[in-house]
Amino acid sequence: AARATLRPDPAMFPRIVRLRTALLAAALALPLGACESPSGPSQKDRVALARAKAAWASLGVDDYTMVVSTYCFCGVREIRFTVIDGVVTDRLVLDDGTPLPPNSFSNVESVDAMLDHIENAIDEHVASLEAEYDEHGVPVSVQIDYQANAVDEEFGWSVKSLIVPES
């Protein structure tokens, strides 16, 4: 039986060479990028956080209920947290109605906890931090990538609602 010989199309050589060159350049750049990510937190992130903390503190809100969607390797969860006198009194997973254990998602159980978590992420020089705050200083959308080259360690959240009872 005749054996077929596969030969690359000569027109593909320039593309293959370009691709190999690009891959080599990317591979050489990896160790440099792993030392310090240019997309990590900056002074701008620290200033935005300070403004958010000041805005939230100026409201003097100690009682509220908020719904937070969390995003991580464990999937998406929608959780309702109730805060009374600055203390989290209720944690409920909304999709199945089960109470959330006190140690779970404690970094998003209150606005203060969220702001502290963002501050820790900045202090720890995470690989990437994207945080959006509303006019009251609530971190309404946050994405944190703790290590650029790791898998399944990213974490984020979005605040779906925050209700402050009328006084």
Side-chain angles (χ1 to χ4, degrees):
R3 195 169 151 200
T5 305
L6 295 176
R7 296 176 193 233
D9 180 356
M12 291 296 292
F13 285 145
R15 182 174 179 208
I16 291 171
V17 170
R18 283 193 312 266
L19 180 60
R20 285 184 182 163
T21 303
L23 289 173
L24 178 62
L28 291 174
L30 272 177
L32 297 174
C35 295
E36 184 172 331
S37 173
S39 64
S42 66
Q43 185 61 28
K44 189 170 108 175
D45 294 306
R46 203 170 282 286
V47 168
L49 175 63
R51 285 185 183 142
K53 282 185 160 192
W56 178 249
S58 73
L59 293 176
V61 174
D62 290 327
D63 301 335
Y64 57 93
T65 299
M66 69 177 173
V67 174
V68 178
S69 286
T70 60
Y71 312 102
C72 62
F73 65 92
C74 57
V76 177
R77 301 196 92 177
E78 205 162 86
I79 307 166
R80 185 183 70 214
F81 296 99
T82 303
V83 178
I84 298 175
D85 291 329
V87 176
V88 180
T89 59
D90 188 42
R91 300 164 178 83
L92 186 69
V93 178
L94 293 181
D95 62 337
D96 61 8
T98 59
L100 187 70
N103 295 344
S104 298
F105 296 103
S106 59
N107 50 357
V108 296
E109 68 184 5
S110 69
V111 174
D112 290 324
M114 291 175 176
L115 294 169
D116 288 346
H117 190 71
I118 294 168
E119 184 169 34
N120 289 338
I122 292 170
D123 291 346
E124 293 173 10
H125 306 289
V126 296
S128 175
L129 170 67
E130 295 176 29
E132 293 178 35
Y133 307 90
D134 71 6
E135 66 274 10
H136 305 295
V138 177
V140 293
S141 178
V142 176
Q143 291 293 323
I144 302 171
D145 187 357
Y146 297 93
Q147 297 176 345
N149 298 323
V151 177
D152 291 344
E153 75 346 308
E154 298 90 359
F155 180 69
W157 69 83
S158 61
V159 176
K160 299 298 183 181
S161 67
L162 191 147
I163 300 168
V164 177
E166 291 185 32
S167 321

